[in-house]
Amino acid sequence: MRIVLVGPPGAGKGTQATRLAEKLRVPHISTGDLFRANISRQTELGKLAKSYMDAGNLVPDEVTIAMAKDRMEQPDAERGFLLDGFPRNVSQAEALDELLTTEGIELDAVLDLEAPEEEVVKRIAGRRICRNDSAHVFHVSYKKPAKDGVCDLCGGELYQRDDDSEETVRTRLEVYHTQTEPIIDYYKAQGLVVTIEAMGPVDEVTARALAALKREGDDQ
């Protein structure tokens, strides 16, 4: 299957993308991973992207699209892929359509993970990270440490990352609403959008998504 995954920050896209890609046996292609891989390998696209990032500028759409094209042409993506973080706007969605049409393939579905905005803010702003090990993550509501501000696993100090502050989260949500959310209407016009309730246990959300994709496949 060829799937695009969309949803606001805090809806659990990264977690669900990894799980769904494994279940569907297709590669999980994320924009962040594409940038890191190309920069690490010092490819021409990586060098170009880094030049924009070092200057504090956004990487142009055409560079992101070229990276995605290169990744989707790899052998492991022949039977499908799950795109996470791309396309990020309607311009990129149009470019993806053009690219897929050129290759003679089509998207099977666009999974839209939905979560109430205030819940998204609560999820992200409540996270606390251990200074000793960033893999140790707690939450002021959902996963409280035994002692406030102290990691249960190693005793390190728990802190809130700058990009997890409520003000930053609300700014990220506004960017999502103005730039990325319009692609949902774009894909709805093509009959591709499958809306998934992103609230609840991770396993339940994954099960909902897989069931919806199966129904979508049966209908086609």
Side-chain angles (χ1 to χ4, degrees):
M1 296 192 80
R2 297 174 177 86
I3 301 166
V4 168
L5 187 65
V6 297
K13 289 193 304 300
T15 299
Q16 292 303 327
T18 300
R19 294 167 67 89
L20 290 170
E22 182 179 347
K23 295 284 187 182
L24 297 169
R25 298 181 182 179
V26 297
H28 168 206
I29 302 175
S30 79
T31 307
D33 289 345
L34 287 177
F35 285 153
R36 284 187 287 273
N38 277 273
I39 290 171
S40 174
R41 299 200 312 267
Q42 295 189 332
T43 66
E44 291 304 313
L45 287 171
K47 292 175 183 177
L48 185 57
K50 190 172 186 300
S51 69
Y52 285 100
M53 295 164 71
D54 287 348
N57 298 319
L58 292 175
V59 178
D61 282 352
E62 56 265 29
V63 177
T64 303
I65 292 162
M67 286 186 182
K69 178 179 183 295
D70 179 70
R71 181 64 185 87
M72 287 187 290
E73 289 176 345
Q74 299 302 309
D76 66 336
E78 285 184 3
R79 63 187 301 272
F81 49 75
L82 190 152
L83 295 175
D84 169 21
F86 174 83
R88 194 174 293 274
N89 53 49
V90 172
S91 176
Q92 289 185 0
E94 291 172 340
L96 176 61
D97 275 355
E98 184 177 341
L99 170 61
L100 296 179
T101 298
T102 301
E103 298 295 322
I105 56 179
E106 298 178 347
L107 288 176
D108 292 294
V110 175
L111 280 181
D112 174 25
L113 294 182
E114 284 196 345
E117 185 156 317
E118 290 308 310
E119 178 61 28
V120 166
V121 173
K122 184 178 179 181
R123 277 186 181 185
I124 300 177
R127 283 194 301 221
R128 298 296 183 268
I129 314 297
C130 177
R131 288 196 186 277
N132 291 342
D133 189 332
S134 60
H136 299 169
V137 182
F138 293 82
H139 195 281
V140 297
S141 299
Y142 305 130
K143 189 182 177 183
K144 295 181 180 180
K147 183 178 179 182
D148 284 348
V150 179
C151 177
D152 288 352
L153 302 176
C154 69
E157 178 193 358
L158 298 178
Y159 75 104
Q160 182 187 52
R161 298 185 309 188
D162 290 341
D163 59 353
D164 283 349
S165 71
E166 181 174 340
E167 181 181 2
T168 301
V169 174
R170 292 193 183 279
T171 298
R172 289 167 61 194
L173 283 167
E174 183 59 31
V175 171
Y176 171 77
H177 291 319
T178 57
Q179 293 187 16
T180 304
E181 204 168 47
I183 74 173
I184 297 174
D185 286 335
Y186 174 83
Y187 283 123
K188 276 184 178 178
Q190 300 180 35
L192 290 172
V193 175
V194 180
T195 302
I196 304 297
E197 170 57 57
M199 301 302 300
V202 171
D203 287 345
E204 288 185 12
V205 177
T206 304
R208 284 179 211 143
L210 290 171
L213 287 173
K214 184 178 186 303
R215 288 195 300 272
E216 186 74 9
D218 290 343
D219 291 341
Q220 291 179 1

